[in-house]
Amino acid sequence: MKDKKEFFKLLEEIDGKPIEEFLQIVGDYDFTRYVIKCHPFNIDGDVVKSVFSLRIPQTISEIPEFLFDNSIKKTALEDYLLRCFNNSINSIAEFDYNGIARKNINVSSPNQKILPRNTLVITSEFIEVRFEVDLPTQQIKIEDGIFLAIDGERMQDLFFEDLMESVGESLLFCNIDKNEAECFVNNMENANAIRDYLSSSNQVAFLENGSLIKRDRLSDLPDYISSIPLEIDENLSQSVSTPRGGEINGLVIPKGLTVIIGNSSDGRIDISDAISQGIYNHILGDGREHCITVSDAVEICCEPGRSVQNVDISFFNNKNTFYKNFSSNSADAFESQAASFVESLEAGSRVLLLDEETSSSSFLTSDSRLLSIQNHQSQSSLSSFAKRLVDELGISIIVSGSSLIAEFLPIADQVYKIEDYKVSDVTDEVKTLDITPNSLDNIEDLSSILGRARYIMPSSIDPSSKYNDVYIDVDSEDFLNFGRSIIDTSYINQISSADQVRTIGMILYYAKLRYMDEGYSLREILDFVDRDLSNEGLNILIRNVCGNLSRPRRHEIAALINRLPAFRVSHITN
């Protein structure tokens, strides 16, 4: 291992040399208070990037162990320190002549959600952070041509000024806001305590009284300008005990069939979104810190044009055998939502969330008043057997809307109304309405929905492209490039970041290598991947060191497999 003086001298020596000489910096360097490692990299084109890891001994950082003595607190503290490091890096970005900030050091940037990542890891012995550096270059004139060369002086500034400053500001406990760090960790503990309470008491969601659930129009940030605090009617409000926040009052949504009535302008879409995003813990100041949902809740949307492979949606088509093994390269709105419903149950979800805004009207409901005129209906709406699904399969369904949910009202276990962000219980009131439920009686046994297992054809999960054996790339949060296929994730609202999408791509490749040739079903493969990620962490997925992965749920992994255009099913068992 070289020391920092040798590294400084090396940067002097390669200054002005061809960019191929950047490869000399690969190695470990002792900076006294921490060690920097430059991982091997390739030079491809004019932009040269390398992944670095920086490790600080706990004897230097001195982070108290009580802040990360369990997995929940550890994830929270890692997220907090990463945000601090990121903020410090951003604050020293240089501005070019156009006034645009230019960063040479790039770190994965967390959003409103708190997720397990491989970007920053803390143990009782050290803190390690991974980041990517755009290695600085300069243009030099040689005879009649202009060529790219190494900017060694800028490299010295990066590693001996900028990085030193950011590490000192954000990763040494003596310089961290100790109260803020503890509050951040405590917030995570409180959120998980609420989720544990929901799971142990047969509830599915909790919405704190006074939450700010409205989002900014173009982002997931709170809308502080026009937000109205969520108000829970006194008759509905219950208290939940938390370890660090005492008693918290709010709406507890129990298991069963729940209907939420309200116009979109009255906060219905915001409350539906808060329930959907409640599968994640949120940072302090988000407004949804105590809007918590059980971890297996999945939002079901219609997605016209998506690929479907061998999914049994015959229950939604009057047991038509054509739909017993339904496949399509471009499913319509009804077919896509029915497939997503069944696929979510296959992946292990037992709480399904639907809103009329993102649903096919024919999937959600039908007009029972026309049953006496129509001798035969080709499609069966969810409302016609939702109650049976809840009672016989033990799942929970939350449906929200204003005009397409009438047929759910007579069969609902609880009905809430949201008006001007105030939630009240109208269950007894709606039961007096003259609405005849559209009941489906031609299905004898619904249990086969859960008993069916699909097996992946391994050759259909192919990460190779024309020029690469493995090509996995993320254009944005909405598209994953996997081999020759592009997966559109824009309809999967519970994916929270591009890092999650990238990680799912890596998981598909990992699962192909390790499990898909072994004769396991899709459900079993999801079980194994969950186990491996919990036991060994995200780094089991990578061949080359990176720091831009964040853990997804099994449900989003399954969703992207099901939407992979090349995905095929080898066989099915019941």
Side-chain angles (χ1 to χ4, degrees), residues 385-452:
F385 63 110
K387 186 59 175 173
R388 285 190 60 191
L389 286 168
V390 169
D391 293 342
E392 295 179 25
L393 302 185
I395 68 173
S396 295
I397 300 175
I398 300 178
V399 184
S400 53
S402 60
S403 58
L404 297 176
I405 42 83
E407 292 199 349
F408 289 93
L409 299 179
I411 59 174
D413 295 306
Q414 48 274 331
V415 182
Y416 304 119
K417 181 179 77 171
I418 182 166
E419 187 172 7
D420 200 22
Y421 290 87
K422 181 175 182 179
V423 181
S424 57
D425 188 347
V426 293
T427 307
D428 294 337
E429 183 180 341
V430 300
K431 297 297 183 182
T432 64
L433 299 176
D434 185 18
I435 301 174
T436 304
N438 178 12
S439 178
L440 190 65
D441 299 321
N442 64 338
I443 301 178
E444 296 180 0
D445 182 19
L446 291 171
S447 62
S448 61
I449 296 178
L450 301 182
R452 182 181 168 93

Coordinates of all heavy atoms in Angstrom, one line a residue, residues 385-452:
F385 N -66.3 -10.7 -7.4 CA -65.8 -11.8 -6.4 C -64.7 -11.3 -5.5 O -64.0 -12.1 -4.9 CB -65.4 -13.0 -7.2 CG -64.2 -12.9 -8.1 CD1 -63.0 -13.5 -7.9 CD2 -64.3 -12.2 -9.3 CE1 -61.9 -13.4 -8.7 CE2 -63.3 -12.1 -10.2 CZ -62.0 -12.7 -9.9
A386 N -64.6 -10.0 -5.3 CA -63.6 -9.4 -4.4 C -63.8 -9.9 -3.0 O -62.9 -10.3 -2.2 CB -63.7 -7.9 -4.4
K387 N -65.1 -10.0 -2.5 CA -65.4 -10.4 -1.2 C -65.0 -11.9 -1.0 O -64.4 -12.3 0.1 CB -66.8 -10.2 -0.8 CG -67.2 -10.5 0.6 CD -66.5 -9.6 1.6 CE -67.0 -9.9 3.0 NZ -66.1 -9.1 4.0
R388 N -65.2 -12.7 -2.0 CA -64.8 -14.1 -1.9 C -63.2 -14.2 -1.8 O -62.7 -15.1 -1.1 CB -65.3 -14.9 -3.0 CG -66.8 -15.2 -3.0 CD -67.2 -16.2 -4.0 NE -66.5 -17.5 -3.9 CZ -66.5 -18.4 -4.8 NH1 -67.2 -18.2 -6.0 NH2 -65.9 -19.5 -4.6
L389 N -62.5 -13.4 -2.6 CA -61.1 -13.4 -2.6 C -60.6 -13.1 -1.2 O -59.7 -13.8 -0.6 CB -60.5 -12.4 -3.6 CG -60.6 -12.8 -5.0 CD1 -60.3 -11.5 -5.9 CD2 -59.6 -13.9 -5.4
V390 N -61.2 -12.1 -0.5 CA -60.8 -11.7 0.8 C -61.1 -12.8 1.8 O -60.2 -13.2 2.7 CB -61.5 -10.4 1.2 CG1 -61.3 -10.1 2.7 CG2 -61.0 -9.2 0.3
D391 N -62.3 -13.4 1.8 CA -62.7 -14.4 2.8 C -62.0 -15.7 2.6 O -61.6 -16.4 3.6 CB -64.2 -14.5 2.7 CG -65.0 -13.3 3.2 OD1 -64.3 -12.4 3.8 OD2 -66.2 -13.1 2.9
E392 N -61.9 -16.1 1.3 CA -61.4 -17.5 1.1 C -59.9 -17.6 1.0 O -59.3 -18.6 1.4 CB -62.0 -18.1 -0.2 CG -63.5 -18.2 -0.1 CD -64.1 -18.8 -1.4 OE1 -63.4 -19.4 -2.2 OE2 -65.3 -18.5 -1.6
L393 N -59.2 -16.5 0.5 CA -57.8 -16.5 0.4 C -57.1 -15.8 1.5 O -55.8 -15.9 1.6 CB -57.4 -15.9 -1.0 CG -57.9 -16.6 -2.2 CD1 -57.3 -16.0 -3.5 CD2 -57.7 -18.1 -2.2
G394 N -57.8 -15.1 2.3 CA -57.2 -14.3 3.4 C -56.4 -13.1 3.0 O -55.5 -12.6 3.8
I395 N -56.7 -12.6 1.8 CA -56.0 -11.4 1.4 C -56.8 -10.2 1.8 O -57.9 -10.2 2.2 CB -55.7 -11.4 -0.2 CG1 -57.1 -11.3 -0.9 CG2 -55.0 -12.7 -0.6 CD1 -56.9 -11.1 -2.4
S396 N -56.2 -9.0 1.6 CA -56.8 -7.7 1.8 C -56.8 -6.9 0.5 O -55.8 -7.0 -0.2 CB -56.2 -6.9 2.9 OG -56.3 -7.6 4.2
I397 N -57.9 -6.2 0.3 CA -58.0 -5.3 -0.9 C -58.4 -3.9 -0.5 O -59.3 -3.8 0.3 CB -59.0 -5.9 -1.9 CG1 -58.5 -7.3 -2.4 CG2 -59.1 -5.0 -3.1 CD1 -59.6 -8.0 -3.3
I398 N -57.7 -2.9 -0.9 CA -58.1 -1.5 -0.7 C -58.4 -0.9 -2.1 O -57.5 -0.8 -2.9 CB -57.0 -0.7 0.0 CG1 -56.7 -1.3 1.4 CG2 -57.4 0.7 0.2 CD1 -55.6 -0.6 2.2
V399 N -59.6 -0.5 -2.2 CA -60.0 0.1 -3.5 C -60.5 1.6 -3.2 O -61.2 1.8 -2.3 CB -61.2 -0.6 -4.1 CG1 -61.6 0.0 -5.5 CG2 -60.9 -2.1 -4.2
S400 N -60.0 2.5 -4.1 CA -60.4 3.9 -3.9 C -60.9 4.5 -5.2 O -60.5 4.1 -6.3 CB -59.2 4.7 -3.4 OG -58.1 4.5 -4.2
G401 N -61.8 5.4 -5.1 CA -62.4 6.0 -6.2 C -63.6 6.9 -5.9 O -63.9 7.1 -4.7
S402 N -64.2 7.4 -6.9 CA -65.4 8.3 -6.8 C -66.6 7.9 -7.6 O -67.7 8.2 -7.3 CB -65.0 9.7 -7.1 OG -64.6 9.9 -8.4
S403 N -66.3 7.2 -8.7 CA -67.4 6.9 -9.6 C -67.5 5.4 -10.1 O -68.5 5.0 -10.6 CB -67.3 7.7 -10.9 OG -66.0 7.5 -11.5
L404 N -66.4 4.6 -9.8 CA -66.4 3.2 -10.3 C -66.4 2.2 -9.2 O -66.1 1.0 -9.4 CB -65.1 3.0 -11.2 CG -65.0 3.8 -12.5 CD1 -63.7 3.5 -13.2 CD2 -66.2 3.4 -13.4
I405 N -66.7 2.7 -7.9 CA -66.5 1.8 -6.8 C -67.8 1.4 -6.1 O -67.9 0.8 -5.0 CB -65.5 2.3 -5.8 CG1 -65.7 3.8 -5.5 CG2 -64.1 2.1 -6.3 CD1 -66.7 4.2 -4.6
A406 N -69.0 1.8 -6.7 CA -70.3 1.6 -6.1 C -70.5 0.2 -5.7 O -71.1 -0.2 -4.7 CB -71.4 2.2 -7.0
E407 N -70.2 -0.8 -6.6 CA -70.5 -2.2 -6.4 C -69.6 -2.8 -5.3 O -69.9 -3.9 -4.9 CB -70.3 -3.0 -7.7 CG -71.4 -2.6 -8.7 CD -71.5 -3.6 -9.8 OE1 -70.7 -4.5 -9.9 OE2 -72.5 -3.5 -10.6
F408 N -68.6 -2.1 -4.9 CA -67.8 -2.6 -3.8 C -68.5 -2.3 -2.4 O -68.2 -2.9 -1.4 CB -66.4 -2.1 -3.8 CG -65.5 -2.6 -4.9 CD1 -65.4 -1.9 -6.1 CD2 -64.8 -3.8 -4.7 CE1 -64.6 -2.4 -7.1 CE2 -64.0 -4.3 -5.7 CZ -63.9 -3.6 -6.9
L409 N -69.3 -1.3 -2.4 CA -69.8 -0.7 -1.2 C -70.7 -1.8 -0.4 O -70.5 -1.9 0.8 CB -70.7 0.5 -1.4 CG -69.9 1.7 -2.1 CD1 -70.8 2.9 -2.3 CD2 -68.7 2.1 -1.2
P410 N -71.6 -2.5 -1.0 CA -72.4 -3.5 -0.2 C -71.6 -4.6 0.4 O -72.0 -5.2 1.4 CB -73.4 -4.0 -1.2 CG -73.4 -3.1 -2.4 CD -72.0 -2.5 -2.4
I411 N -70.4 -4.9 -0.2 CA -69.6 -6.0 0.3 C -68.4 -5.6 1.1 O -67.6 -6.5 1.6 CB -69.2 -6.9 -0.9 CG1 -68.3 -6.1 -1.9 CG2 -70.4 -7.5 -1.6 CD1 -67.8 -6.9 -3.0
A412 N -68.1 -4.3 1.2 CA -66.9 -3.8 1.9 C -67.0 -4.0 3.4 O -68.1 -4.0 4.0 CB -66.7 -2.3 1.6
D413 N -65.9 -4.3 4.0 CA -65.8 -4.5 5.5 C -65.8 -3.1 6.1 O -66.3 -2.9 7.2 CB -64.6 -5.2 5.9 CG -64.6 -6.7 5.4 OD1 -65.6 -7.4 5.7 OD2 -63.7 -7.1 4.7
Q414 N -65.1 -2.1 5.5 CA -65.1 -0.8 6.0 C -65.0 0.2 4.8 O -64.4 -0.1 3.8 CB -64.0 -0.5 7.0 CG -62.6 -0.9 6.5 CD -62.3 -2.4 6.9 OE1 -62.8 -2.9 7.8 NE2 -61.5 -3.0 6.1
V415 N -65.7 1.3 5.0 CA -65.8 2.3 3.9 C -65.4 3.7 4.5 O -66.0 4.1 5.5 CB -67.2 2.5 3.2 CG1 -67.1 3.5 2.1 CG2 -67.6 1.1 2.7
Y416 N -64.4 4.3 4.0 CA -64.0 5.7 4.5 C -64.2 6.7 3.4 O -64.1 6.4 2.2 CB -62.5 5.7 4.8 CG -62.1 4.6 5.8 CD1 -61.1 3.6 5.4 CD2 -62.6 4.6 7.1 CE1 -60.7 2.6 6.3 CE2 -62.2 3.6 8.0 CZ -61.3 2.7 7.6 OH -60.9 1.7 8.5
K417 N -64.6 7.9 3.8 CA -64.7 9.0 2.9 C -63.7 10.0 3.2 O -63.4 10.4 4.4 CB -66.1 9.6 3.1 CG -66.4 10.8 2.1 CD -67.8 11.4 2.3 CE -67.9 12.2 3.5 NZ -69.2 13.0 3.6
I418 N -63.0 10.5 2.2 CA -62.1 11.6 2.3 C -62.6 12.9 1.6 O -63.0 12.8 0.4 CB -60.7 11.3 1.8 CG1 -59.7 12.4 2.1 CG2 -60.7 10.8 0.4 CD1 -58.2 12.1 2.0
E419 N -62.7 13.9 2.4 CA -63.3 15.2 1.8 C -62.4 16.3 2.4 O -62.4 16.5 3.6 CB -64.7 15.4 2.2 CG -65.4 16.6 1.5 CD -66.9 16.6 1.7 OE1 -67.4 15.8 2.5 OE2 -67.5 17.4 1.1
D420 N -61.8 17.1 1.5 CA -60.9 18.1 1.9 C -59.9 17.7 2.9 O -59.6 18.3 3.9 CB -61.7 19.3 2.5 CG -60.9 20.6 2.4 OD1 -60.0 20.7 1.6 OD2 -61.3 21.5 3.3
Y421 N -59.3 16.5 2.6 CA -58.3 15.8 3.5 C -58.7 15.5 4.9 O -57.9 15.3 5.7 CB -57.0 16.7 3.5 CG -56.3 16.8 2.2 CD1 -56.7 17.7 1.2 CD2 -55.3 15.9 1.9 CE1 -56.0 17.8 0.0 CE2 -54.7 15.9 0.6 CZ -55.0 16.9 -0.3 OH -54.4 16.9 -1.5
K422 N -60.0 15.3 5.0 CA -60.6 14.8 6.3 C -61.2 13.5 6.1 O -62.0 13.3 5.2 CB -61.6 15.8 6.9 CG -62.2 15.3 8.2 CD -63.2 16.3 8.9 CE -63.7 15.8 10.2 NZ -64.6 16.7 10.9
V423 N -60.8 12.5 6.9 CA -61.2 11.1 6.7 C -62.3 10.8 7.7 O -62.1 11.0 9.0 CB -60.1 10.1 6.8 CG1 -60.5 8.7 6.6 CG2 -59.0 10.5 5.8
S424 N -63.4 10.2 7.3 CA -64.5 9.8 8.2 C -65.0 8.4 7.8 O -64.8 8.0 6.7 CB -65.6 10.8 8.2 OG -66.1 11.0 6.8
D425 N -65.7 7.8 8.7 CA -66.2 6.4 8.5 C -67.6 6.5 8.0 O -68.5 7.1 8.8 CB -66.1 5.6 9.8 CG -66.5 4.2 9.6 OD1 -67.0 3.8 8.6 OD2 -66.2 3.4 10.5
V426 N -67.9 6.0 6.8 CA -69.3 6.1 6.3 C -69.8 4.6 6.0 O -70.7 4.5 5.2 CB -69.4 6.9 5.0 CG1 -69.1 8.4 5.3 CG2 -68.4 6.4 4.0
T427 N -69.3 3.7 6.7 CA -69.6 2.3 6.5 C -71.1 2.0 6.7 O -71.8 1.5 5.8 CB -68.8 1.3 7.4 OG1 -67.4 1.6 7.2 CG2 -69.1 -0.1 7.0
D428 N -71.7 2.5 7.8 CA -73.1 2.2 8.1 C -74.0 3.0 7.1 O -75.0 2.5 6.7 CB -73.4 2.7 9.5 CG -72.7 1.8 10.6 OD1 -72.4 0.6 10.2 OD2 -72.5 2.3 11.7
E429 N -73.5 4.2 6.7 CA -74.3 5.0 5.8 C -74.4 4.4 4.5 O -75.5 4.3 3.9 CB -73.7 6.4 5.7 CG -74.4 7.4 4.9 CD -73.7 8.7 4.8 OE1 -72.9 9.0 5.7 OE2 -74.0 9.5 3.9
V430 N -73.3 3.8 3.9 CA -73.4 3.3 2.5 C -74.2 2.0 2.5 O -74.7 1.6 1.5 CB -72.0 3.1 1.9 CG1 -71.3 4.5 1.9 CG2 -71.2 2.1 2.7
K431 N -74.2 1.3 3.6 CA -74.9 0.0 3.6 C -76.4 0.2 3.4 O -77.1 -0.8 3.1 CB -74.7 -0.7 5.0 CG -73.2 -1.1 5.2 CD -72.7 -2.1 4.2 CE -71.3 -2.5 4.5 NZ -70.7 -3.4 3.5
T432 N -76.9 1.4 3.7 CA -78.4 1.7 3.5 C -78.7 2.0 2.0 O -79.9 2.1 1.6 CB -78.8 2.8 4.3 OG1 -78.1 4.0 3.9 CG2 -78.5 2.6 5.8
L433 N -77.7 2.2 1.2 CA -77.9 2.5 -0.2 C -78.4 1.3 -1.0 O -78.1 0.1 -0.7 CB -76.6 3.0 -0.9 CG -75.9 4.2 -0.3 CD1 -74.6 4.5 -1.0 CD2 -76.9 5.4 -0.4
D434 N -79.3 1.6 -2.0 CA -79.9 0.5 -2.8 C -79.0 0.1 -3.9 O -79.1 0.5 -5.0 CB -81.3 1.0 -3.3 CG -82.0 -0.1 -4.0 OD1 -81.6 -1.3 -3.8 OD2 -82.9 0.2 -4.8
I435 N -78.0 -0.7 -3.5 CA -77.0 -1.2 -4.5 C -77.0 -2.7 -4.5 O -76.7 -3.3 -3.4 CB -75.6 -0.6 -4.3 CG1 -75.6 0.9 -4.3 CG2 -74.6 -1.1 -5.3 CD1 -74.3 1.5 -3.9
T436 N -77.2 -3.3 -5.6 CA -77.2 -4.8 -5.7 C -75.8 -5.2 -6.1 O -75.4 -4.9 -7.2 CB -78.2 -5.3 -6.6 OG1 -79.5 -4.8 -6.3 CG2 -78.2 -6.8 -6.7
P437 N -75.1 -6.0 -5.2 CA -73.8 -6.4 -5.6 C -73.8 -7.4 -6.8 O -74.7 -8.2 -6.9 CB -73.2 -7.1 -4.3 CG -74.4 -7.5 -3.6 CD -75.5 -6.4 -3.9
N438 N -72.8 -7.3 -7.6 CA -72.7 -8.2 -8.8 C -71.9 -9.4 -8.3 O -70.7 -9.4 -8.3 CB -72.0 -7.5 -9.9 CG -71.8 -8.4 -11.1 OD1 -72.4 -9.5 -11.2 ND2 -71.0 -8.0 -12.1
S439 N -72.6 -10.5 -7.9 CA -72.0 -11.6 -7.3 C -71.7 -12.7 -8.4 O -72.6 -13.0 -9.2 CB -72.8 -12.2 -6.2 OG -72.2 -13.4 -5.7
L440 N -70.5 -13.2 -8.4 CA -70.1 -14.3 -9.3 C -70.1 -15.6 -8.7 O -69.4 -15.9 -7.7 CB -68.6 -14.0 -9.8 CG -68.1 -14.8 -11.0 CD1 -68.9 -14.5 -12.3 CD2 -66.7 -14.5 -11.2
D441 N -71.0 -16.5 -9.2 CA -71.2 -17.8 -8.5 C -70.7 -19.0 -9.3 O -70.7 -20.1 -8.8 CB -72.7 -18.0 -8.3 CG -73.4 -16.9 -7.4 OD1 -72.7 -16.5 -6.5 OD2 -74.5 -16.5 -7.8
N442 N -70.1 -18.7 -10.5 CA -69.7 -19.9 -11.3 C -68.2 -20.3 -11.0 O -67.7 -21.2 -11.7 CB -69.8 -19.6 -12.8 CG -68.9 -18.4 -13.2 OD1 -68.5 -17.6 -12.4 ND2 -68.6 -18.4 -14.5
I443 N -67.6 -19.7 -10.0 CA -66.3 -20.1 -9.6 C -66.4 -20.9 -8.3 O -66.8 -20.4 -7.2 CB -65.4 -18.9 -9.4 CG1 -65.2 -18.1 -10.7 CG2 -64.0 -19.4 -8.9 CD1 -64.4 -16.9 -10.5
E444 N -66.1 -22.2 -8.3 CA -66.2 -23.1 -7.2 C -65.0 -22.9 -6.2 O -65.2 -22.9 -5.0 CB -66.3 -24.5 -7.6 CG -67.6 -24.8 -8.4 CD -67.7 -26.2 -8.8 OE1 -66.8 -27.0 -8.5 OE2 -68.7 -26.6 -9.5
D445 N -63.8 -22.9 -6.7 CA -62.6 -22.9 -5.9 C -61.6 -21.8 -6.3 O -61.1 -21.9 -7.4 CB -62.0 -24.2 -5.9 CG -60.8 -24.3 -5.0 OD1 -60.7 -23.5 -4.1 OD2 -60.0 -25.3 -5.2
L446 N -61.4 -20.8 -5.5 CA -60.5 -19.8 -5.8 C -59.0 -20.1 -5.4 O -58.1 -19.4 -5.7 CB -60.9 -18.4 -5.1 CG -62.2 -17.8 -5.6 CD1 -62.6 -16.6 -4.7 CD2 -62.0 -17.3 -7.1
S447 N -58.9 -21.2 -4.6 CA -57.5 -21.4 -4.0 C -56.5 -21.8 -5.1 O -55.3 -21.7 -4.9 CB -57.6 -22.6 -3.0 OG -58.1 -23.8 -3.7
S448 N -57.0 -22.2 -6.3 CA -56.0 -22.5 -7.3 C -55.2 -21.3 -7.8 O -54.2 -21.4 -8.4 CB -56.8 -23.1 -8.5 OG -57.7 -22.2 -9.1
I449 N -55.7 -20.1 -7.5 CA -55.0 -18.9 -7.9 C -53.6 -18.9 -7.1 O -52.6 -18.5 -7.7 CB -55.8 -17.6 -7.5 CG1 -57.1 -17.5 -8.3 CG2 -54.9 -16.3 -7.7 CD1 -57.9 -16.3 -8.0
L450 N -53.7 -19.3 -5.9 CA -52.4 -19.3 -5.1 C -51.6 -20.6 -5.3 O -50.4 -20.6 -5.0 CB -52.8 -19.2 -3.6 CG -53.5 -17.9 -3.2 CD1 -53.7 -17.9 -1.7 CD2 -52.8 -16.7 -3.6
G451 N -52.3 -21.7 -5.8 CA -51.6 -22.9 -5.9 C -50.8 -23.2 -7.2 O -50.1 -24.1 -7.3
R452 N -51.0 -22.3 -8.1 CA -50.3 -22.4 -9.4 C -48.9 -21.9 -9.4 O -48.6 -20.9 -8.8 CB -51.2 -21.6 -10.4 CG -50.7 -21.6 -11.8 CD -51.7 -20.7 -12.6 NE -51.2 -20.5 -14.0 CZ -51.5 -21.1 -15.1 NH1 -52.3 -22.2 -14.9 NH2 -51.1 -20.8 -16.2

